[in-house]
PDB file of all heavy atoms in Angstrom:
ATOM      1  N   TYR O   1      11.622 -25.511  -7.870  1.00 45.00           N
ATOM      2  CA  TYR O   1      11.492 -24.259  -8.609  1.00 45.00           C
ATOM      3  C   TYR O   1      10.367 -23.410  -8.031  1.00 45.00           C
ATOM      4  O   TYR O   1      10.486 -22.193  -7.884  1.00 45.00           O
ATOM      5  CB  TYR O   1      11.226 -24.535 -10.087  1.00 45.00           C
ATOM      6  CG  TYR O   1      12.461 -24.885 -10.881  1.00 45.00           C
ATOM      7  CD1 TYR O   1      12.513 -26.025 -11.664  1.00 45.00           C
ATOM      8  CD2 TYR O   1      13.590 -24.065 -10.841  1.00 45.00           C
ATOM      9  CE1 TYR O   1      13.647 -26.354 -12.392  1.00 45.00           C
ATOM     10  CE2 TYR O   1      14.737 -24.380 -11.567  1.00 45.00           C
ATOM     11  CZ  TYR O   1      14.755 -25.526 -12.340  1.00 45.00           C
ATOM     12  OH  TYR O   1      15.879 -25.840 -13.056  1.00 45.00           O
ATOM     13  N   ALA O   2       9.256 -24.040  -7.708  1.00 45.00           N
ATOM     14  CA  ALA O   2       8.114 -23.313  -7.161  1.00 45.00           C
ATOM     15  C   ALA O   2       8.472 -22.682  -5.827  1.00 45.00           C
ATOM     16  O   ALA O   2       8.126 -21.534  -5.539  1.00 45.00           O
ATOM     17  CB  ALA O   2       6.924 -24.257  -7.002  1.00 45.00           C
ATOM     18  N   GLY O   3       9.198 -23.480  -4.997  1.00 49.00           N
ATOM     19  CA  GLY O   3       9.619 -22.948  -3.706  1.00 49.00           C
ATOM     20  C   GLY O   3      10.559 -21.783  -3.861  1.00 49.00           C
ATOM     21  O   GLY O   3      10.470 -20.789  -3.139  1.00 49.00           O
ATOM     22  N   SER O   4      11.466 -21.895  -4.818  1.00 46.00           N
ATOM     23  CA  SER O   4      12.411 -20.816  -5.069  1.00 46.00           C
ATOM     24  C   SER O   4      11.697 -19.557  -5.539  1.00 46.00           C
ATOM     25  O   SER O   4      11.995 -18.448  -5.105  1.00 46.00           O
ATOM     26  CB  SER O   4      13.429 -21.259  -6.127  1.00 46.00           C
ATOM     27  OG  SER O   4      14.296 -20.193  -6.458  1.00 46.00           O
ATOM     28  N   ALA O   5      10.730 -19.721  -6.430  1.00 48.00           N
ATOM     29  CA  ALA O   5       9.964 -18.582  -6.943  1.00 48.00           C
ATOM     30  C   ALA O   5       9.170 -17.923  -5.827  1.00 48.00           C
ATOM     31  O   ALA O   5       9.068 -16.699  -5.743  1.00 48.00           O
ATOM     32  CB  ALA O   5       9.027 -19.043  -8.062  1.00 48.00           C
ATOM     33  N   LEU O   6       8.600 -18.752  -4.924  1.00 50.00           N
ATOM     34  CA  LEU O   6       7.817 -18.222  -3.819  1.00 50.00           C
ATOM     35  C   LEU O   6       8.700 -17.426  -2.870  1.00 50.00           C
ATOM     36  O   LEU O   6       8.336 -16.337  -2.406  1.00 50.00           O
ATOM     37  CB  LEU O   6       7.126 -19.361  -3.069  1.00 50.00           C
ATOM     38  CG  LEU O   6       6.199 -18.944  -1.905  1.00 50.00           C
ATOM     39  CD1 LEU O   6       5.080 -18.050  -2.433  1.00 50.00           C
ATOM     40  CD2 LEU O   6       5.633 -20.172  -1.210  1.00 50.00           C
ATOM     41  N   ALA O   7       9.899 -17.979  -2.593  1.00 53.00           N
ATOM     42  CA  ALA O   7      10.835 -17.282  -1.711  1.00 53.00           C
ATOM     43  C   ALA O   7      11.246 -15.948  -2.308  1.00 53.00           C
ATOM     44  O   ALA O   7      11.353 -14.935  -1.609  1.00 53.00           O
ATOM     45  CB  ALA O   7      12.063 -18.157  -1.475  1.00 53.00           C
ATOM     46  N   GLN O   8      11.474 -15.955  -3.628  1.00 55.00           N
ATOM     47  CA  GLN O   8      11.856 -14.724  -4.310  1.00 55.00           C
ATOM     48  C   GLN O   8      10.735 -13.693  -4.242  1.00 55.00           C
ATOM     49  O   GLN O   8      10.969 -12.506  -4.057  1.00 55.00           O
ATOM     50  CB  GLN O   8      12.201 -15.040  -5.767  1.00 55.00           C
ATOM     51  CG  GLN O   8      12.839 -13.878  -6.504  1.00 55.00           C
ATOM     52  CD  GLN O   8      13.312 -14.282  -7.877  1.00 55.00           C
ATOM     53  OE1 GLN O   8      12.523 -14.718  -8.708  1.00 55.00           O
ATOM     54  NE2 GLN O   8      14.602 -14.164  -8.120  1.00 55.00           N
ATOM     55  N   GLU O   9       9.497 -14.172  -4.362  1.00 79.00           N
ATOM     56  CA  GLU O   9       8.341 -13.291  -4.326  1.00 79.00           C
ATOM     57  C   GLU O   9       8.201 -12.613  -2.967  1.00 79.00           C
ATOM     58  O   GLU O   9       7.693 -11.506  -2.859  1.00 79.00           O
ATOM     59  CB  GLU O   9       7.076 -14.092  -4.646  1.00 79.00           C
ATOM     60  CG  GLU O   9       5.820 -13.249  -4.742  1.00 79.00           C
ATOM     61  CD  GLU O   9       4.600 -14.096  -5.056  1.00 79.00           C
ATOM     62  OE1 GLU O   9       4.739 -15.071  -5.806  1.00 79.00           O
ATOM     63  OE2 GLU O   9       3.526 -13.782  -4.535  1.00 79.00           O
ATOM     64  N   LYS O  10       8.648 -13.278  -1.910  1.00 93.00           N
ATOM     65  CA  LYS O  10       8.536 -12.723  -0.564  1.00 93.00           C
ATOM     66  C   LYS O  10       9.812 -12.008  -0.115  1.00 93.00           C
ATOM     67  O   LYS O  10       9.927 -11.592   1.026  1.00 93.00           O
ATOM     68  CB  LYS O  10       8.190 -13.834   0.438  1.00 93.00           C
ATOM     69  CG  LYS O  10       6.857 -14.511   0.173  1.00 93.00           C
ATOM     70  CD  LYS O  10       5.696 -13.506   0.064  1.00 93.00           C
ATOM     71  CE  LYS O  10       5.401 -12.817   1.381  1.00 93.00           C
ATOM     72  NZ  LYS O  10       4.227 -11.892   1.239  1.00 93.00           N
ATOM     73  N   THR O  11      10.768 -11.883  -1.017  1.00 97.00           N
ATOM     74  CA  THR O  11      12.009 -11.153  -0.718  1.00 97.00           C
ATOM     75  C   THR O  11      11.954  -9.769  -1.348  1.00 97.00           C
ATOM     76  O   THR O  11      11.540  -9.618  -2.492  1.00 97.00           O
ATOM     77  CB  THR O  11      13.235 -11.925  -1.257  1.00 97.00           C
ATOM     78  OG1 THR O  11      13.307 -13.203  -0.619  1.00 97.00           O
ATOM     79  CG2 THR O  11      14.514 -11.155  -0.978  1.00 97.00           C
ATOM     80  N   PHE O  12      12.356  -8.789  -0.584  1.00 98.00           N
ATOM     81  CA  PHE O  12      12.385  -7.408  -1.057  1.00 98.00           C
ATOM     82  C   PHE O  12      13.821  -6.909  -0.990  1.00 98.00           C
ATOM     83  O   PHE O  12      14.420  -6.806   0.078  1.00 98.00           O
ATOM     84  CB  PHE O  12      11.474  -6.541  -0.192  1.00 98.00           C
ATOM     85  CG  PHE O  12      11.598  -5.060  -0.435  1.00 98.00           C
ATOM     86  CD1 PHE O  12      11.465  -4.536  -1.716  1.00 98.00           C
ATOM     87  CD2 PHE O  12      11.845  -4.179   0.621  1.00 98.00           C
ATOM     88  CE1 PHE O  12      11.583  -3.175  -1.951  1.00 98.00           C
ATOM     89  CE2 PHE O  12      11.957  -2.818   0.403  1.00 98.00           C
ATOM     90  CZ  PHE O  12      11.827  -2.315  -0.883  1.00 98.00           C
ATOM     91  N   ARG O  13      14.413  -6.590  -2.156  1.00 98.00           N
ATOM     92  CA  ARG O  13      15.810  -6.196  -2.256  1.00 98.00           C
ATOM     93  C   ARG O  13      15.903  -4.679  -2.407  1.00 98.00           C
ATOM     94  O   ARG O  13      15.521  -4.128  -3.419  1.00 98.00           O
ATOM     95  CB  ARG O  13      16.466  -6.914  -3.435  1.00 98.00           C
ATOM     96  CG  ARG O  13      16.390  -8.446  -3.345  1.00 98.00           C
ATOM     97  CD  ARG O  13      16.686  -9.108  -4.667  1.00 98.00           C
ATOM     98  NE  ARG O  13      15.756  -8.672  -5.702  1.00 98.00           N
ATOM     99  CZ  ARG O  13      15.915  -8.917  -7.000  1.00 98.00           C
ATOM    100  NH1 ARG O  13      16.970  -9.582  -7.420  1.00 98.00           N
ATOM    101  NH2 ARG O  13      15.025  -8.484  -7.875  1.00 98.00           N
ATOM    102  N   LEU O  14      16.426  -4.048  -1.350  1.00 98.00           N
ATOM    103  CA  LEU O  14      16.446  -2.592  -1.265  1.00 98.00           C
ATOM    104  C   LEU O  14      17.871  -2.056  -1.378  1.00 98.00           C
ATOM    105  O   LEU O  14      18.760  -2.474  -0.647  1.00 98.00           O
ATOM    106  CB  LEU O  14      15.840  -2.156   0.076  1.00 98.00           C
ATOM    107  CG  LEU O  14      15.870  -0.660   0.410  1.00 98.00           C
ATOM    108  CD1 LEU O  14      15.061   0.151  -0.609  1.00 98.00           C
ATOM    109  CD2 LEU O  14      15.339  -0.426   1.822  1.00 98.00           C
ATOM    110  N   LEU O  15      18.061  -1.113  -2.302  1.00 98.00           N
ATOM    111  CA  LEU O  15      19.345  -0.433  -2.513  1.00 98.00           C
ATOM    112  C   LEU O  15      19.169   1.002  -2.033  1.00 98.00           C
ATOM    113  O   LEU O  15      18.482   1.803  -2.674  1.00 98.00           O
ATOM    114  CB  LEU O  15      19.711  -0.473  -3.999  1.00 98.00           C
ATOM    115  CG  LEU O  15      21.044   0.146  -4.433  1.00 98.00           C
ATOM    116  CD1 LEU O  15      22.224  -0.593  -3.814  1.00 98.00           C
ATOM    117  CD2 LEU O  15      21.157   0.137  -5.964  1.00 98.00           C
ATOM    118  N   THR O  16      19.792   1.343  -0.899  1.00 97.00           N
ATOM    119  CA  THR O  16      19.488   2.631  -0.277  1.00 97.00           C
ATOM    120  C   THR O  16      20.699   3.198   0.441  1.00 97.00           C
ATOM    121  O   THR O  16      21.781   2.619   0.442  1.00 97.00           O
ATOM    122  CB  THR O  16      18.303   2.490   0.692  1.00 97.00           C
ATOM    123  OG1 THR O  16      17.872   3.784   1.128  1.00 97.00           O
ATOM    124  CG2 THR O  16      18.673   1.647   1.906  1.00 97.00           C
ATOM    125  N   TRP O  17      20.501   4.351   1.052  1.00 95.00           N
ATOM    126  CA  TRP O  17      21.554   5.046   1.786  1.00 95.00           C
ATOM    127  C   TRP O  17      21.616   4.545   3.232  1.00 95.00           C
ATOM    128  O   TRP O  17      20.632   4.056   3.770  1.00 95.00           O
ATOM    129  CB  TRP O  17      21.275   6.551   1.808  1.00 95.00           C
ATOM    130  CG  TRP O  17      21.235   7.189   0.463  1.00 95.00           C
ATOM    131  CD1 TRP O  17      20.211   7.132  -0.448  1.00 95.00           C
ATOM    132  CD2 TRP O  17      22.242   8.006  -0.140  1.00 95.00           C
ATOM    133  NE1 TRP O  17      20.526   7.859  -1.575  1.00 95.00           N
ATOM    134  CE2 TRP O  17      21.774   8.411  -1.411  1.00 95.00           C
ATOM    135  CE3 TRP O  17      23.497   8.441   0.274  1.00 95.00           C
ATOM    136  CZ2 TRP O  17      22.507   9.217  -2.265  1.00 95.00           C
ATOM    137  CZ3 TRP O  17      24.238   9.253  -0.568  1.00 95.00           C
ATOM    138  CH2 TRP O  17      23.743   9.638  -1.823  1.00 95.00           C
ATOM    139  N   ALA O  18      22.760   4.734   3.867  1.00 90.00           N
ATOM    140  CA  ALA O  18      22.884   4.449   5.293  1.00 90.00           C
ATOM    141  C   ALA O  18      21.867   5.301   6.055  1.00 90.00           C
ATOM    142  O   ALA O  18      21.624   6.461   5.698  1.00 90.00           O
ATOM    143  CB  ALA O  18      24.302   4.758   5.773  1.00 90.00           C
ATOM    144  N   ASP O  19      21.251   4.729   7.062  1.00 92.00           N
ATOM    145  CA  ASP O  19      20.302   5.390   7.968  1.00 92.00           C
ATOM    146  C   ASP O  19      18.886   5.505   7.405  1.00 92.00           C
ATOM    147  O   ASP O  19      17.994   5.992   8.100  1.00 92.00           O
ATOM    148  CB  ASP O  19      20.789   6.795   8.376  1.00 92.00           C
ATOM    149  CG  ASP O  19      22.154   6.778   9.025  1.00 92.00           C
ATOM    150  OD1 ASP O  19      22.427   5.837   9.788  1.00 92.00           O
ATOM    151  OD2 ASP O  19      22.963   7.693   8.762  1.00 92.00           O
ATOM    152  N   TYR O  20      18.654   5.072   6.145  1.00 96.00           N
ATOM    153  CA  TYR O  20      17.310   5.162   5.581  1.00 96.00           C
ATOM    154  C   TYR O  20      16.472   3.912   5.869  1.00 96.00           C
ATOM    155  O   TYR O  20      15.272   3.896   5.577  1.00 96.00           O
ATOM    156  CB  TYR O  20      17.363   5.378   4.065  1.00 96.00           C
ATOM    157  CG  TYR O  20      17.729   6.790   3.643  1.00 96.00           C
ATOM    158  CD1 TYR O  20      18.271   7.696   4.543  1.00 96.00           C
ATOM    159  CD2 TYR O  20      17.541   7.216   2.340  1.00 96.00           C
ATOM    160  CE1 TYR O  20      18.619   8.979   4.155  1.00 96.00           C
ATOM    161  CE2 TYR O  20      17.877   8.500   1.938  1.00 96.00           C
ATOM    162  CZ  TYR O  20      18.420   9.377   2.846  1.00 96.00           C
ATOM    163  OH  TYR O  20      18.765  10.650   2.456  1.00 96.00           O
ATOM    164  N   ALA O  21      17.102   2.881   6.417  1.00 97.00           N
ATOM    165  CA  ALA O  21      16.376   1.650   6.736  1.00 97.00           C
ATOM    166  C   ALA O  21      16.817   1.150   8.105  1.00 97.00           C
ATOM    167  O   ALA O  21      17.488   0.120   8.220  1.00 97.00           O
ATOM    168  CB  ALA O  21      16.625   0.593   5.665  1.00 97.00           C
ATOM    169  N   PRO O  22      16.445   1.868   9.185  1.00 96.00           N
ATOM    170  CA  PRO O  22      16.829   1.457  10.538  1.00 96.00           C
ATOM    171  C   PRO O  22      16.303   0.055  10.848  1.00 96.00           C
ATOM    172  O   PRO O  22      15.238  -0.349  10.338  1.00 96.00           O
ATOM    173  CB  PRO O  22      16.161   2.501  11.438  1.00 96.00           C
ATOM    174  CG  PRO O  22      15.829   3.651  10.550  1.00 96.00           C
ATOM    175  CD  PRO O  22      15.611   3.083   9.190  1.00 96.00           C
ATOM    176  N   ALA O  23      17.029  -0.668  11.683  1.00 97.00           N
ATOM    177  CA  ALA O  23      16.681  -2.065  11.972  1.00 97.00           C
ATOM    178  C   ALA O  23      15.266  -2.220  12.501  1.00 97.00           C
ATOM    179  O   ALA O  23      14.550  -3.163  12.120  1.00 97.00           O
ATOM    180  CB  ALA O  23      17.690  -2.640  12.968  1.00 97.00           C
ATOM    181  N   ASP O  24      14.811  -1.302  13.374  1.00 97.00           N
ATOM    182  CA  ASP O  24      13.470  -1.446  13.941  1.00 97.00           C
ATOM    183  C   ASP O  24      12.382  -1.201  12.890  1.00 97.00           C
ATOM    184  O   ASP O  24      11.316  -1.839  12.921  1.00 97.00           O
ATOM    185  CB  ASP O  24      13.270  -0.508  15.133  1.00 97.00           C
ATOM    186  CG  ASP O  24      13.485   0.962  14.792  1.00 97.00           C
ATOM    187  OD1 ASP O  24      14.240   1.264  13.845  1.00 97.00           O
ATOM    188  OD2 ASP O  24      12.898   1.818  15.472  1.00 97.00           O
ATOM    189  N   ILE O  25      12.669  -0.317  11.935  1.00 98.00           N
ATOM    190  CA  ILE O  25      11.700  -0.045  10.860  1.00 98.00           C
ATOM    191  C   ILE O  25      11.632  -1.232   9.907  1.00 98.00           C
ATOM    192  O   ILE O  25      10.539  -1.656   9.489  1.00 98.00           O
ATOM    193  CB  ILE O  25      12.099   1.235  10.091  1.00 98.00           C
ATOM    194  CG1 ILE O  25      12.051   2.453  11.020  1.00 98.00           C
ATOM    195  CG2 ILE O  25      11.198   1.434   8.881  1.00 98.00           C
ATOM    196  CD1 ILE O  25      10.687   2.740  11.619  1.00 98.00           C
ATOM    197  N   VAL O  26      12.782  -1.812   9.583  1.00 98.00           N
ATOM    198  CA  VAL O  26      12.812  -3.004   8.732  1.00 98.00           C
ATOM    199  C   VAL O  26      12.049  -4.141   9.397  1.00 98.00           C
ATOM    200  O   VAL O  26      11.247  -4.834   8.753  1.00 98.00           O
ATOM    201  CB  VAL O  26      14.263  -3.424   8.438  1.00 98.00           C
ATOM    202  CG1 VAL O  26      14.298  -4.792   7.762  1.00 98.00           C
ATOM    203  CG2 VAL O  26      14.952  -2.383   7.554  1.00 98.00           C
ATOM    204  N   ALA O  27      12.283  -4.333  10.691  1.00 98.00           N
ATOM    205  CA  ALA O  27      11.607  -5.415  11.422  1.00 98.00           C
ATOM    206  C   ALA O  27      10.089  -5.219  11.430  1.00 98.00           C
ATOM    207  O   ALA O  27       9.329  -6.182  11.254  1.00 98.00           O
ATOM    208  CB  ALA O  27      12.142  -5.494  12.847  1.00 98.00           C
ATOM    209  N   GLN O  28       9.649  -3.984  11.605  1.00 98.00           N
ATOM    210  CA  GLN O  28       8.208  -3.708  11.619  1.00 98.00           C
ATOM    211  C   GLN O  28       7.598  -3.970  10.247  1.00 98.00           C
ATOM    212  O   GLN O  28       6.505  -4.545  10.143  1.00 98.00           O
ATOM    213  CB  GLN O  28       7.940  -2.260  12.051  1.00 98.00           C
ATOM    214  CG  GLN O  28       6.446  -1.932  12.157  1.00 98.00           C
ATOM    215  CD  GLN O  28       6.181  -0.529  12.680  1.00 98.00           C
ATOM    216  OE1 GLN O  28       7.072   0.093  13.291  1.00 98.00           O
ATOM    217  NE2 GLN O  28       4.988  -0.018  12.464  1.00 98.00           N
ATOM    218  N   PHE O  29       8.305  -3.546   9.187  1.00 98.00           N
ATOM    219  CA  PHE O  29       7.810  -3.785   7.831  1.00 98.00           C
ATOM    220  C   PHE O  29       7.709  -5.282   7.548  1.00 98.00           C
ATOM    221  O   PHE O  29       6.715  -5.755   6.989  1.00 98.00           O
ATOM    222  CB  PHE O  29       8.725  -3.116   6.809  1.00 98.00           C
ATOM    223  CG  PHE O  29       8.374  -3.404   5.375  1.00 98.00           C
ATOM    224  CD1 PHE O  29       7.275  -2.815   4.779  1.00 98.00           C
ATOM    225  CD2 PHE O  29       9.145  -4.286   4.615  1.00 98.00           C
ATOM    226  CE1 PHE O  29       6.936  -3.077   3.459  1.00 98.00           C
ATOM    227  CE2 PHE O  29       8.822  -4.553   3.301  1.00 98.00           C
ATOM    228  CZ  PHE O  29       7.715  -3.953   2.719  1.00 98.00           C
TER     229      PHE O  29
END
């Protein structure tokens, strides 16, 4: 459970438009 919670804490779920999250920008973030 702790591992699952930690993984969730480090996951960022983004709902956005096409082209607003280019692969290189996501990788840098």
Side-chain angles (χ1 to χ4, degrees):
Y1 280 128
S4 176
L6 183 60
Q8 190 173 60
E9 184 180 325
K10 298 307 293 182
T11 299
F12 170 53
R13 302 164 301 168
L14 175 62
L15 182 63
T16 189
W17 299 77
D19 303 322
Y20 284 14
D24 58 333
I25 297 299
V26 170
Q28 183 176 341
F29 175 74

